[in-house]
Amino acid sequence: MARVCLVLLDGLNAATARRCLTVLRALEEADKARYTELDCALPPLSRPLYVTLFSGLTPVQSGILRNDDPSPCPAPTIFSLARDAGLVTAAAAYHWVHELCNGTPYDPALHRLTDDPALPIGHGLFYDQDAYPDQALFADAACLCRRHAPDLLLAHSMGVDYAGHCRGADSRAYRQAARLVDSLLARWLPQWLDAGYAVLVTSDHGMTADGAHNDVTEEARRVPLWLVGPAWQTLPLPQAQTGVAGVILQALGLRPQSPVRA
């Protein structure tokens, strides 16, 4: 069993990740990280794909097919299963994650700072601005890590996605947003590894030159996935996005349950 940190870099396509995330490439070359690429489920939209990453359900299976659907996740998530097993959970994440996992609707006055171990995400720092700085987001995740030592930690940044929607994936702004994430990973990733975390870095969907991702092109669907740390060595790389939740549960020492798939 290991503690797990899931780093979700919203809107980062695989091609830009391979070009700009040099810290992860360095760990890969040193045989300290493993890499694969996945095609995200359809439709390639954030809220439906958060459900896929957290539960193993495709959007068609979950019935959550659009970003403005306020429904909670209809199946157990990695957070609820971890909580039920007596593990500590935490997330620094966009407010849709709170709505899917903890309850809807999100009220910033009530839910921005969450400390309730009875909830699936027991400790949270949630934000509702797409332009929320990635520097602040990673600091939020580090704060939760130090205060609560969670067994399962989510760090979910929106900076790359925001830059892509503003300028498109074939832009300096999009690549610079990815390079900023690279510098933040250079700061925080060694600390998480030293604290005993197995780190999984991935994205929900990609981004096209049009500044969108709701189509079936490789730029919109192809996403990166890195497994960093020795705890992953005996576990298989996910073969599909629906398998991410199951691999996380295995790393936590929990048995994947249907519909969460290994």
Side-chain angles (χ1 to χ4, degrees):
M1 171 184 169
R3 294 193 291 177
V4 173
C5 176
L6 169 57
V7 179
L8 178 53
L9 306 175
D10 211 287
L12 178 62
N13 65 38
T16 302
R18 294 301 282 170
R19 175 174 176 174
C20 297
L21 297 192
T22 62
V23 170
L24 291 168
R25 292 292 298 270
L27 291 169
E28 195 183 331
E29 291 180 4
D31 293 326
K32 295 184 177 181
R34 300 162 66 200
Y35 179 76
T36 191
E37 294 179 5
L38 306 172
D39 287 330
C40 74
L42 294 174
L45 298 170
S46 289
R47 193 190 290 254
L49 294 178
Y50 300 161
V51 175
T52 299
L53 289 167
F54 300 156
S55 74
L57 290 175
T58 66
V60 170
Q61 291 170 326
S62 72
I64 297 176
L65 297 168
R66 63 187 199 276
N67 280 336
D68 61 351
D69 185 342
S71 303
C73 182
T77 67
I78 54 175
F79 300 104
S80 63
L81 293 170
R83 176 209 54 192
D84 292 348
L87 303 182
V88 178
T89 59
Y94 196 61
H95 69 290
W96 290 351
V97 173
H98 181 282
E99 292 185 329
L100 287 167
C101 299
N102 277 3
T104 186
Y106 171 82
D107 181 341
L110 294 174
H111 304 131
R112 166 145 172 73
L113 175 60
T114 295
D115 278 303
D116 184 352
L119 292 172
I121 300 176
H123 307 286
L125 284 169
F126 297 100
Y127 62 96
D128 57 10
Q129 300 297 314
D130 289 8
Y132 189 71
D134 282 357
Q135 299 96 321
L137 179 281
F138 276 83
D140 290 347
C143 178
L144 291 168
C145 185
R146 294 184 183 182
R147 286 175 62 91
H148 304 291
D151 300 290
L152 175 58
L153 171 66
L154 169 65
H156 172 213
S157 70
M158 291 288 287
V160 174
D161 184 77
Y162 181 73
H165 283 301
C166 290
R167 299 295 180 87
D170 188 19
S171 69
R172 180 178 181 272
Y174 184 74
R175 291 186 292 272
Q176 286 294 87
R179 293 182 180 113
L180 174 59
V181 167
D182 186 53
S183 69
L184 293 167
L185 288 171
R187 176 178 181 181
W188 296 113
L189 185 57
Q191 296 187 37
W192 291 332
L193 294 171
D194 288 345
Y197 282 91
V199 181
L200 189 153
V201 182
T202 192
S203 183
D204 50 347
H205 54 71
M207 184 68 64
T208 71
D210 294 340
H213 44 77
N214 192 13
D215 62 37
V216 298
T217 60
E218 180 175 324
E219 292 82 0
R221 295 193 67 186
R222 199 74 171 163
V223 297
L225 186 144
W226 278 274
L227 300 177
V228 188
W232 302 111
Q233 294 305 313
T234 59
L235 297 178
L237 286 165
Q239 299 301 302
Q241 196 176 47
T242 52
V244 172
V247 169
I248 290 172
L249 291 174
Q250 289 182 67
L252 289 169
L254 303 179
R255 184 183 181 125
Q257 301 180 19
S258 180
V260 178
R261 302 174 179 186

